[in-house]
Amino acid sequence: MREILIIGAGPAGLAAARAARARGASVTLLDAADDVGGQYWRHLPASLSAGREDLLHHGWATFTALRSDLDDDPGCRIVRGAQVWAIERGETTGRPDAARPDAARPDAGNRDTGRPDAEPAEHDDRGGHVVHALAGPVDGTDRERITLTPDALVLATGAHDRTLPFPGWDLPGVFTPGAAQALAKGERVTVGERVAVAGAGPFLLPVAASLVQTGTTVVGVFEASRARTLAAGWLSRPWRLARAGKKGAELAGYAAGQLRHRIPYRTGTAVIRAHGTDAVTAVTVAKLDRDWRPIPGTERRIPVDAVCAGHGFTPRLELAVAAGCVLTGDSFVAVDDAQRTSEPGVYAAGEITGIGGVELAMAEGSIAGHHAAGGDTGTSPVRAARVARGVHRDIARRIEAAHGIRPGWSSWLDDDTVICRCEEVRHGPLRDTAAATASTSLRSLKLSTRAGLGICQGRMCGRTVDALLRQHAPHAHRNDNATFDHRPLAFPLRLAELADHPKDNDRKESA
Amino acid sequence: MTVPPFPVPPSQDPIRPDPGTSIRISVDETEYPGRAGQTIAGVMLAAGLLSWRYSSGSGAPRGAFCGIGVCFDCLATVNGQRDVRTCQRRAVDGDVVVTQHDPLPRPPRAPAPESAAESASEPAHRSAPEPPHPSGPDSPLREGGSGA
Amino acid sequence: MDVIVIGAGIIGAAVARELTRSGIAVTVIERGAAASATSASGEGNVLVSDKEPGPELVLAQYSARLWPQVARELADELGGTIPADGLGGGHRAGSGAAFPSIEFDRKGGLVVATTDAGIEPLRDFAATQVAAGVDARPVTLDEARELEPDLTPSATAAVYYPEDAQVQPVIATEALLASARRSGASVLEGTEVTGGLRGADGRLSGVRTTAGDLHADAVVTAAGPWSAELTARLGAPVPVQPRRGVVLVTSRMRPRIFHKVYDADYVDAVGSGDAALQTSSVIESTAAGTVLIGSSRQRIGFDDRLRVAVLREIAAKAANVFPFLADTPAMRCYGGFRPFVPDHLPLIGADPRLPGLWHATGHEGAGIGLSVATAALLRDLMTGTEPAIDALPFSPARPSLAEHLQEVM
């Protein structure tokens, strides 16, 4: 039976699992969180259940049905709390070479798919990728080692918030919108009593709604894009939007909620500074021009307990890059009509192929799972998913047109504004070091400024540093192909877990 | 007056939560209550702690930021294991959390005796003081080394 | 005199700087970007401890003498206004040339044996180095633990090398190149050499590039692992092969490792020509508070795919030297290619087959440390000055290389 490994159990991964099972493949579904659902259906753990949890979610019934179908399906193994930390490319991909001493070595205690090491590829498109994961408590030790060599791999790793820096954004009390969502939906904790929600994109609306449901006062939703840009993005060819039934209704629902709770929704406005010493106590908001430059004289100071700031999303690409997948010019995983990546046997679905929301993710997941399991194009469920994918890609384009980041944001930075949070690389030194070395290599710039070299590995600042370096040296084209998305170790793991025989070292130490 | 994060009062929560199981964890030897299933960061935030780490360079306070395990701002030492993302790790009754501060090492010694004096007169580094260097100036080995 | 230097890694940068300071008009040609390949893939070793008595040790000792002076000159010239850690405060706004520190640090090295069988070879090796003028000090295990309190209790012998130093290799490369630029060198990045130009007398008189033909009195190859391909294009191939190396980086911690610490296998691994995987521990902390854990040596061509087995072996050996590392997270790994030469010596000097062609390549894993001495040596050879050390062992015309050199094409 064809073995399909799906990484990521959000909407795209769940849909992929269902589609691959429908085609009769054996499915393993890994997620780093300890339950499925991803960030979109982030929910209470079993120990914190609630009678009306559905009030916090859209499509909750869809999710719970999907989850219980897969949980009850003996052909689908769901491994929760499994952190994939590396993907090795196999022999059938990349450059030719001789030795592959390590791949899929039979390893006692592994939960292998049972595929022996030296077996030749039996499917035309099998890429020979080896996936390494650890299952157990997050950042624990002695976790269970999982090594898998599937026939096909579906990457559905999703995205995380992208927050543009502003002075004070590193103060405690400034969160990403995703953090507010996770705390509200995952454990019923609110980030403060008076909260500013700021940034860009339709996702700010459900965040404000979640906060209201936790009893918080949202002092305002500050959307950087101006009303005219929003209208042009959302309302060009509105008859197309009508086809996106559920999405349209969801957004309309948020809008109604905003009115009901009297949340001010300010377009063309940004939080350009957070004030406070040990924690945020106030923000400065300002009106923006069409390029997101603050308009002098429009600044207004608002007392707050917390800020949720997000300016869109960054796809989580490290596993796709490790697998060898080619990226698009705007740094998403390039896929074809069947959601196939450039790598044999590797499929991608959801936000890593383009930010588009839950319906698009599920459509792509269905298509990816179907084809990964050997399905062909003509099958009717795939035809429906393809139609849905077309509609929701159109919406995604509108979102980008309406809310996409404009270059003027960098004018709200001070020289002292932290850009890279981990290494505390500030805007002035970043710019000056880049100028002093005159480097045309992103790799060199990272190593000489330390931007992006900290423990988050550039997840938070990578896109920002890249953009700033390009702004500060517009004439210097890049002469290397370095990116911030290359993380061969996808997540930190302890040396004992990495080492061949961690227990031996322990014994040696105590002997 | 800033109001820190707080748990939604169950009696006012429209989703009608079950009471759940109470747990306690300690953070730097102070006990905090939580409910089974919360993350460690969630317990700390709900208890009104906004930050539990100082940044390595400037010593600025840091707590949770991304909430989904990608920014690593919320690291702490849990049950003796350092660098645990507290926003992702579920709290277990009796967990011992120790806040984690990793100040940068002092800049390297100057390249040669001539410039050593200059570097010694530079303003003190802003980060928290470094623990005593075990092979500092008192070590005969170190003395011999710098004189070589 | 006009000289073309091909390659803007640390060797090319150091050579460009030395030649330019001697009044030579230098053009550096780099296929990609400066400081972004081998020079960005290592630990920044400036070592004598790993070298057995012989020409490479002499070159390393020469470099060890030059580095403090070069570091000082670079700081004076470029103004290291950002503190060595590169983080937090300290930045002088508006200073313009805010060049980061190259983090040169003569922190010393400690070589540690962890088996009884390893004691004698380590002591004997150190004794031969002492005879060759290396400051190698056998220390008691108590003294070793005074130097490194977290060292494994299973250490059996240790030798302390006060002369071993570290430099931040990318910043050092950029600084050497910036200094060369200030002295008049020009640097063409994103420009690939496609072939050689020959004069009527058969001399190499320049290069063909993707940006057009460039003429010069001499051409220096400093293309590291890619030197074989480059010199083949110029018509005089040299036997330099890539040897893969991988380094692990831990998360930041309070300072717990104070020197460069190696297990005694390191010397064997460096000197070996074996194609199979070899690992040995080279462990040190950085100015950023992380710990670098090297390294592997594997001749697998230009295959840069991640190999988990290599990481597992590096991790296990490091935890064997510093047991506390077992609980420490590795947060990153990086790898690169070292330029490997069959007789284990760099090529520094004139190519015997093709007048006008000079080499400064093949330093394997020691190029960061050996760069400044290589540049000084090549400068003396090209300007007809008496070099400070014997240049013959590094000559591309040396007998041990003859069987590997093909006729000029």
Side-chain angles (χ1 to χ4, degrees):
Chain A
M1 194 190 287
R2 200 161 158 79
E3 304 266 2
I4 310 298
L5 173 61
I6 300 166
I7 302 176
L14 290 169
R18 179 174 57 190
R21 285 298 297 141
R23 290 289 315 164
S26 164
V27 168
T28 300
L29 178 57
L30 303 182
D31 198 282
D34 49 13
D35 200 3
V36 300
Q39 300 308 332
Y40 184 77
W41 285 312
R42 178 83 172 235
H43 56 275
L44 296 170
S47 54
L48 291 175
S49 58
R52 291 300 310 276
E53 191 171 7
D54 59 295
L55 293 176
L56 303 181
H57 294 273
H58 283 268
W60 183 244
T62 305
F63 165 63
T64 52
L66 196 45
R67 176 175 61 176
S68 63
D69 284 357
L70 294 171
D71 266 334
D72 296 343
D73 179 351
C76 179
R77 181 173 64 128
I78 303 178
V79 188
R80 293 165 165 90
Q83 181 85 71
V84 175
W85 59 271
I87 295 180
E88 290 177 280
R89 281 177 287 158
E91 288 318 292
T92 59
T93 69
R95 282 140 293 210
D97 83 280
R100 191 173 61 133
D102 49 305
R105 183 168 42 199
D107 192 346
N110 278 0
R111 293 199 296 202
D112 266 318
T113 53
R115 178 168 296 281
D117 181 17
E119 187 175 305
E122 42 186 64
H123 296 282
D124 289 341
D125 66 344
R126 184 162 179 258
H129 293 81
V130 184
V131 176
H132 298 269
L134 289 163
V138 170
D139 299 328
T141 185
D142 293 330
R143 286 174 289 180
E144 183 181 9
R145 191 189 285 179
I146 302 174
T147 308
L148 297 164
T149 54
D151 296 313
L153 183 59
V154 179
L155 300 173
T157 47
H160 57 74
D161 295 279
R162 175 172 178 190
T163 300
L164 295 174
F166 50 87
W169 77 305
D170 50 334
L171 280 170
V174 179
F175 298 89
T176 69
Q181 283 287 59
L183 287 163
K185 290 183 170 185
E187 46 193 301
R188 304 305 285 150
V189 170
T190 185
V191 294
E193 207 167 72
R194 289 174 52 84
V195 180
V197 175
F203 181 60
L204 299 180
L205 300 176
V207 171
S210 278
L211 286 168
V212 167
Q213 281 180 311
T214 59
T216 291
T217 301
V218 175
V219 300
V221 175
F222 303 103
E223 162 65 53
S225 296
R226 300 206 301 179
R228 189 178 298 173
T229 317
L230 293 177
W234 283 106
L235 299 180
S236 68
R237 293 178 299 168
W239 60 93
R240 304 274 307 265
L241 199 58
R243 292 161 64 198
K246 269 188 293 185
K247 188 77 180 181
E250 184 184 336
L251 292 170
Y254 293 133
Q258 307 266 325
L259 286 175
R260 200 164 55 245
H261 295 284
R262 297 203 169 83
I263 300 175
Y265 183 71
R266 304 275 180 250
T267 57
T269 306
V271 167
I272 59 166
R273 182 178 294 271
H275 306 271
T277 46
D278 290 334
V280 61
T281 54
V283 292
T284 295
V285 298
K287 298 297 280 181
L288 304 181
D289 70 12
R290 65 181 301 277
D291 278 332
W292 291 17
R293 267 183 212 85
I295 298 170
T298 64
E299 297 88 352
R300 196 154 61 87
R301 192 170 164 130
I302 305 174
V304 296
D305 306 323
V307 184
C308 298
H311 304 82
F313 295 89
T314 303
R316 302 172 71 153
L317 295 175
E318 56 276 347
L319 293 180
V321 170
C325 303
V326 167
L327 304 184
T328 61
D330 51 354
S331 292
F332 292 99
V333 180
V335 289
D336 69 6
D337 215 35
Q339 300 296 133
R340 267 189 297 254
T341 71
S342 61
E343 275 288 293
V346 181
Y347 298 73
E351 309 294 63
I352 56 172
T353 71
I355 304 302
V358 64
E359 288 87 358
L360 179 56
M362 291 192 74
E364 291 186 349
S366 298
I367 296 165
H370 174 84
H371 288 289
D376 56 36
T377 325
T379 326
S380 62
V382 180
R383 281 204 299 273
R386 280 165 182 264
V387 172
R389 182 177 62 182
V391 170
H392 290 287
R393 277 190 180 159
D394 186 55
I395 293 180
R397 276 190 289 274
R398 290 156 185 272
I399 292 175
E400 176 59 26
H403 301 278
I405 290 171
R406 308 286 302 161
W409 69 269
S410 62
S411 63
W412 66 56
L413 300 175
D414 288 341
D415 276 6
D416 272 342
T417 306
V418 165
I419 304 298
C420 165
R421 299 171 69 93
C422 298
E423 301 302 295
E424 288 177 273
V425 180
R426 293 166 200 273
H427 181 227
L430 177 77
R431 179 195 56 217
D432 293 349
T433 299
T437 63
S439 174
T440 64
S441 155
L442 182 60
R443 186 167 195 181
S444 167
L445 287 164
K446 284 157 74 174
L447 287 158
S448 51
T449 62
R450 289 207 61 77
L453 290 188
I455 191 167
C456 93
Q457 288 209 69
R459 285 177 167 87
M460 290 296 102
C461 72
R463 292 278 187 279
T464 296
V465 171
D466 203 8
L468 287 175
L469 290 173
R470 286 176 197 279
Q471 277 192 18
H472 291 315
H475 305 297
H477 70 290
R478 292 277 167 73
N479 282 312
D480 67 359
N481 56 7
T483 72
F484 280 99
D485 300 313
H486 178 66
R487 303 178 187 103
L489 285 187
F491 276 91
L493 73 167
R494 295 178 204 284
L495 263 62
E497 291 185 307
L498 179 55
D500 249 330
H501 306 291
K503 289 301 172 196
D504 288 355
N505 285 318
D506 293 348
R507 277 201 294 275
K508 195 177 285 180
E509 189 184 340
S510 57
Chain B
M1 186 63 206
T2 298
V3 177
F6 57 90
V8 180
S11 60
Q12 294 166 29
D13 196 336
I15 68 166
R16 301 208 305 263
D18 297 336
T21 311
S22 293
I23 59 167
R24 296 185 79 78
I25 67 171
S26 74
V27 180
D28 290 342
E29 300 183 344
T30 301
E31 292 228 336
Y32 293 94
R35 288 189 297 152
Q38 281 193 278
T39 63
I40 290 175
V43 172
M44 293 194 283
L45 287 167
L49 297 178
L50 254 182
S51 62
W52 46 86
R53 196 170 71 78
Y54 292 108
S55 65
S56 300
S58 67
R62 294 283 177 87
F65 176 63
C66 81
I68 63 170
V70 290
C71 81
F72 293 75
D73 258 5
C74 67
L75 298 181
T77 296
V78 177
N79 302 329
Q81 296 285 329
R82 48 175 292 123
D83 293 336
V84 174
R85 285 171 284 161
T86 57
C87 77
Q88 296 297 288
R89 174 72 79 88
R90 299 279 179 206
V92 174
D93 191 44
D95 272 348
V96 177
V97 178
V98 177
T99 57
Q100 192 179 305
H101 315 288
D102 299 304
L104 288 171
R106 274 202 290 260
R109 287 179 298 281
E114 297 94 285
S115 54
E118 292 164 32
S119 84
S121 67
E122 280 171 13
H125 194 238
R126 285 174 66 192
S127 63
E130 186 188 349
H133 194 298
S135 63
D138 298 338
S139 159
L141 291 163
R142 171 58 56 198
E143 288 284 37
S146 58
Chain C
M1 185 152 94
D2 292 328
V3 174
I4 290 169
V5 176
I6 308 172
I10 196 159
I11 302 289
V15 166
R17 178 174 184 265
E18 280 304 326
L19 296 182
T20 306
R21 285 156 64 96
S22 302
I24 294 170
V26 173
T27 302
V28 181
I29 303 175
E30 164 60 50
R31 177 170 63 173
S36 59
T38 301
S39 300
S41 309
E43 300 112 310
N45 285 331
V46 183
L47 305 188
V48 293
S49 60
D50 63 332
K51 303 196 172 48
E52 61 186 348
E56 196 188 3
L57 177 60
V58 173
L59 189 63
Q61 288 169 313
Y62 184 24
S63 240
R65 288 196 298 277
L66 293 177
W67 262 115
Q69 182 191 333
V70 171
R72 223 168 26 244
E73 288 169 359
L74 292 173
D76 289 347
E77 183 180 359
L78 304 171
T81 52
I82 293 178
D85 51 69
L87 313 173
H91 172 70
R92 282 180 219 157
S95 62
F99 218 96
S101 162
I102 68 168
E103 296 172 17
F104 178 80
D105 184 9
R106 193 143 76 185
K107 54 165 55 171
L110 188 70
V111 183
V112 178
T114 56
T115 61
D116 290 337
I119 300 173
E120 281 311 306
L122 174 58
R123 290 265 157 90
D124 291 349
F125 186 71
T128 63
Q129 289 177 309
V130 168
V134 174
D135 188 358
R137 308 178 189 182
V139 293
T140 67
L141 294 175
D142 281 348
E143 289 171 324
R145 271 187 280 279
E146 193 190 330
L147 291 166
E148 291 295 342
D150 285 311
L151 192 64
T152 176
S154 53
T156 57
V159 178
Y160 176 51
Y161 292 85
E163 295 166 307
D164 278 2
Q166 178 177 344
V167 70
Q168 211 277 14
V170 166
I171 299 174
T173 304
E174 295 285 13
L176 290 164
L177 201 62
S179 170
R181 277 200 185 99
R182 284 182 172 219
S183 300
S186 59
V187 182
L188 300 176
E189 293 174 282
T191 302
E192 186 164 351
V193 171
T194 55
L197 301 171
R198 301 287 176 89
D201 54 358
R203 275 182 71 90
L204 188 64
S205 62
V207 293
R208 293 188 189 287
T209 79
T210 50
D213 292 354
L214 288 169
H215 294 269
D217 301 312
V219 175
V220 179
T221 65
W226 294 274
S227 294
E229 182 190 349
L230 168 66
T231 50
R233 290 181 190 185
L234 298 178
V238 293
V240 179
Q241 297 171 37
R243 201 180 188 194
R244 176 91 176 141
V246 175
V247 175
L248 277 173
V249 187
T250 71
S251 59
R252 171 156 40 235
M253 64 185 83
R254 70 175 171 82
R256 293 184 74 169
I257 296 173
F258 303 94
H259 305 83
K260 292 171 149 316
V261 180
Y262 333 94
D263 72 28
D265 297 347
Y266 182 65
V267 175
D268 281 346
V270 171
S272 167
D274 200 337
L277 169 65
Q278 296 182 334
T279 60
S280 58
S281 296
V282 183
I283 306 163
E284 66 193 296
S285 53
T286 70
T290 59
V291 173
L292 301 186
I293 301 173
S295 71
S296 58
R297 293 179 146 71
Q298 199 176 13
R299 271 166 49 206
I300 49 173
F302 284 110
D303 179 358
D304 65 355
R305 285 175 293 174
L306 176 77
R307 288 294 167 245
V308 165
V310 174
L311 302 183
R312 291 201 190 290
E313 201 171 309
I314 293 171
K317 288 198 173 182
N320 192 39
V321 176
F322 284 106
F324 83 86
L325 287 175
D327 283 338
T328 302
M331 66 169 184
R332 180 169 67 238
C333 67
Y334 60 90
F337 300 99
R338 305 181 176 94
F340 172 88
V341 179
D343 65 0
H344 296 292
L345 281 176
L347 280 67
I348 306 167
D351 191 293
R353 302 161 297 180
L354 180 55
L357 178 63
W358 298 70
H359 301 296
T361 187
H363 295 75
E364 209 185 331
I368 304 300
L370 298 179
S371 59
V372 292
T374 297
L377 189 57
L378 193 75
R379 171 205 62 206
D380 289 344
L381 293 171
M382 294 186 85
T383 56
T385 312
E386 181 67 26
I389 63 169
D390 181 10
L392 270 182
F394 310 105
S395 166
R398 63 191 183 242
S400 55
L401 219 50
E403 62 173 308
H404 301 287
L405 289 187
Q406 298 163 37
E407 286 306 301
V408 170
M409 292 185 283

